[in-house]
């Protein structure tokens, strides 16, 4: 199978790494990719939002499967353009990707499907915003209706901060605060059959102890030793299948990766949000544990044959990923700084720990330099969370990037709790 992956972040590096280890993949391409992906795939320049250009590239490469990584190309209809050329594409149509592209649309689908979620108001005027903020009270949860690269949500006790964020959005969803821990659960679907993956937990705040501003994600771990063993089955029956069924009923079947962001509240599981693609950084730890070859799973979803796929096989090992971010992230990051220590990780920590590139590129001399806010995802596996954490942070310690920062508490509480049991 010849595979083309669209995107250039750590999620796409994780996908490419798994595909590069898949014996069924005979050629692996990525556009535009990054410095790390170039070590496992052939890179191509393409405008990832230009469906015709992506489809032309896929046809020229004689790709058997195109995997669209980020949300913006999916919302822009890139998967539709590829499918229109007769090439299998993993990723929902533009219409179905509205599940991520519009918070209001997602709320409408959930209401029709009976999916448990937070009570909410969709607001377009200052008066509506004030009424919704008054109705729910603190803490305030304010979500930009459109795509915002993981940074469109503000959760605050300060009503003026909440109001300012709401007024800066054209259309905004204001909803009740959901208590309890958060869980990310991915499912691969062909529009009918739904195959859940293993749950993960990510860390959104920039600094230790969940301090600082929201980010695209500073780390993640899997499995979740504290979660109810029946959680995946419950979410499959109450959230994932009803949502896929409702979209199919509407004539806009969802095929690809359905990501449910969940809160485990005192009143049960509630959906915080849906995404229409693999999450970053949770993908890094979920794929680290998946033993079933990835290409067959994605191709089955893209071709409507998931029902015939054998049950997925998983490693019992734990996985932890730690994001190394550029100076000033999640504000405007400093870029162009050299990244050192990558060879040391490869020599001394492999195969249990490895570096997945996010915001990187090669400069004129061929050296790897920073090129974005989240620069690297340092990922490790181990027999338990404590071992995986230790390996991940040992590898993080070898990486040198001037001004960079990372959280030191990824999976710390879960590892401690699991150690006490």
């Amino acid at each position: 199978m010849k595979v083309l992956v669209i995107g250039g972040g750590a999620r796409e590096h994780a996908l490419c790494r798994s595909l590069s280890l898949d014996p069924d993949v005979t050629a692996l391409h990525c556009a535009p990719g990054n410095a790390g992906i170039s070590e496992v795939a052939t890179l191509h320049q393409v405008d990832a939002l230009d469906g015709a250009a992506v489809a032309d590239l896929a046809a020229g490469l004689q790709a058997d499967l195109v995997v669209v990584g980020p949300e913006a190309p999916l919302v822009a209809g890139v998967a539709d353009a590829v499918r229109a050329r007769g090439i299998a594409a993993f990723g929902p149509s533009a219409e179905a990707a509205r599940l991520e592209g519009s918070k209001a649309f997602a709320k409408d689908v959930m209401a029709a499907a009976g999916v448990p979620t937070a009570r909410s108001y969709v607001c377009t005027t200052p008066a509506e915003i004030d009424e919704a903020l008054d109705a729910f009270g603190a803490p305030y949860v304010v979500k930009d209706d459109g795509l915002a690269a993981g940074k469109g949500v503000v959760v605050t006790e300060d009503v003026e901060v909440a109001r300012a964020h709401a007024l800066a959005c054209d259309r905004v969803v204001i909803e009740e605060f959901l208590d309890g821990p958060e869980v990310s659960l991915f499912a691969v679907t062909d529009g009918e059959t739904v195959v859940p993956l293993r749950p993960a937990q990510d860390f959104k705040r920039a600094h230790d102890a969940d301090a600082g501003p929201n980010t695209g994600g500073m780390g993640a771990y899997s499995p979740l030793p504290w979660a109810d063993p029946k959680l995946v089955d419950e979410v499959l029956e109450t959230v994932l299948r009803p949502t896929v069924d409702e979209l199919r009923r509407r004539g806009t079947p969802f095929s690809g990766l359905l990501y449910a962001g969940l809160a485990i509240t005192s009143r049960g599981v509630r959906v915080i949000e849906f995404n229409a693609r693999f999450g970053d950084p949770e993908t890094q730890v979920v794929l680290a544990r998946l033993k079933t070859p990835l290409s067959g799973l994605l191709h089955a979803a893209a071709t409507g044959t998931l029902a015939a796929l054998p049950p997925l096989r998983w490693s019992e090992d734990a996985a932890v990923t730690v994001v190394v971010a550029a100076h000033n992230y999640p504000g405007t990051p400093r870029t162009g700084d050299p990244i050192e220590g990558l060879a040391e990780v490869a020599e001394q920590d492999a195969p249990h720990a490895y570096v997945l590139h996010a915001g990187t590129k090669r400069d004129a001399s061929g050296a790897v330099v920073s090129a974005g806010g989240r620069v690297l995802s340092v990922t490790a596996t181990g027999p338990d969370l404590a071992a995986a954490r230790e390996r991940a942070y040992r590898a993080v310690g070898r990486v040198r990037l001037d001004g960079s920062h990372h959280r030191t508490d990824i999976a710390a509480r879960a590892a401690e709790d699991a150690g006490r049991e």
Side-chain angles (χ1 to χ4, degrees):
M1 197 185 302
K2 295 178 182 174
V3 183
L4 169 62
V5 176
I6 302 301
R11 161 188 47 229
E12 287 76 34
H13 194 178
L15 289 163
C16 285
R17 179 181 182 272
S18 290
L19 290 165
S20 74
L21 300 172
D22 185 335
D24 291 330
V25 176
T26 53
L28 182 58
H29 302 270
C30 186
N34 60 40
I37 295 173
S38 69
E39 296 174 11
V40 294
T42 303
L43 301 192
H44 304 268
Q45 280 306 310
V46 76
D47 178 354
L49 297 177
D50 186 336
V54 172
D56 285 345
L57 174 62
L61 294 171
Q62 297 181 309
D64 301 297
L65 174 67
V66 176
V67 180
V68 183
E71 59 272 27
L74 291 167
V75 172
V78 168
D80 304 83
V82 171
R83 278 192 281 267
R85 296 287 287 273
I87 301 168
F90 181 83
S93 66
E95 193 65 28
R98 289 176 64 208
L99 204 59
E100 176 168 7
S102 168
K103 304 286 190 297
F105 176 75
K107 287 289 187 184
D108 184 61
V109 170
M110 283 188 270
V115 169
T117 187
R119 292 179 299 122
S120 64
Y121 294 100
V122 179
C123 307
T124 55
T125 68
E128 288 174 347
I129 287 166
D130 288 341
E131 191 179 330
L133 292 172
D134 289 344
F136 288 131
Y140 303 97
V141 182
V142 183
K143 299 181 175 182
D144 190 334
D145 181 51
L147 291 181
K151 299 179 203 163
V153 180
V154 165
V155 181
T156 178
E157 297 279 348
D158 188 328
V159 70
E160 292 308 321
V161 171
R163 182 178 287 115
H165 181 64
L167 290 170
C169 305
D170 290 336
R171 194 171 187 226
V172 68
V173 174
I174 296 173
E175 62 184 41
E176 67 175 325
F177 176 76
L178 296 175
D179 63 328
E182 294 185 12
V183 173
S184 300
L185 184 62
F186 303 163
V188 173
T189 177
D190 57 9
E192 295 215 13
T193 301
V194 183
V195 178
L197 306 186
R198 291 291 165 90
Q201 186 174 55
D202 77 334
F203 295 74
K204 289 290 187 201
R205 299 285 181 169
H207 307 304
D208 285 6
D210 292 330
N214 253 356
T215 72
M218 293 299 292
Y221 70 94
S222 180
L224 312 181
W226 49 268
D228 187 325
K230 298 191 287 291
L231 175 66
V232 173
D233 289 339
E234 179 188 343
V235 174
L236 181 63
E237 294 306 322
T238 62
V239 174
L240 299 170
R241 277 202 186 117
T243 301
V244 170
D245 290 347
E246 172 62 18
L247 285 166
R248 188 174 67 250
R249 188 189 68 76
R250 292 175 178 221
T252 55
F254 187 107
S255 79
L257 195 291
L258 179 58
Y259 165 134
L262 309 164
I264 313 301
T265 77
S266 53
R267 291 171 295 142
V269 174
R270 297 287 185 274
V271 175
I272 300 169
E273 64 175 353
F274 283 125
N275 290 335
R277 39 71 194 181
F278 280 102
D280 182 346
E282 301 97 319
T283 302
Q284 288 85 301
V285 292
V286 173
L287 292 187
R289 302 184 60 219
L290 180 64
K291 293 173 78 171
T292 297
L294 184 61
S295 68
L297 173 63
L298 303 186
H299 192 264
T303 56
T305 57
L306 261 184
L309 201 72
L312 300 182
R313 294 181 296 112
W314 294 93
S315 167
E316 291 304 312
D317 281 359
V320 171
T321 194
V322 180
V323 171
V324 177
H327 176 73
N328 199 46
Y329 177 80
T332 303
R334 193 174 78 207
T335 59
D337 288 315
I339 303 167
E340 299 175 330
L342 299 176
E344 293 169 37
V345 176
E347 289 166 10
Q348 300 182 47
D349 299 298
H352 301 300
Y354 47 89
V355 178
L356 297 168
H357 292 231
T360 70
K361 67 176 184 180
R362 294 189 185 276
D363 66 11
S365 70
V368 178
V369 299
S370 61
R374 292 189 294 172
V375 182
L376 305 168
S377 284
V378 181
T379 306
T381 56
D384 54 33
L385 281 174
R389 277 193 89 242
E390 184 184 340
R391 287 168 174 173
Y393 279 107
R394 187 186 308 143
V396 167
R398 302 192 203 281
V399 175
R400 297 179 294 284
L401 171 61
D402 187 49
S404 68
H405 63 97
H406 63 272
R407 285 185 57 156
T408 66
D409 61 348
I410 304 301
R413 188 194 297 174
E416 286 172 18
D417 291 349
R420 280 199 292 268
E421 287 176 4

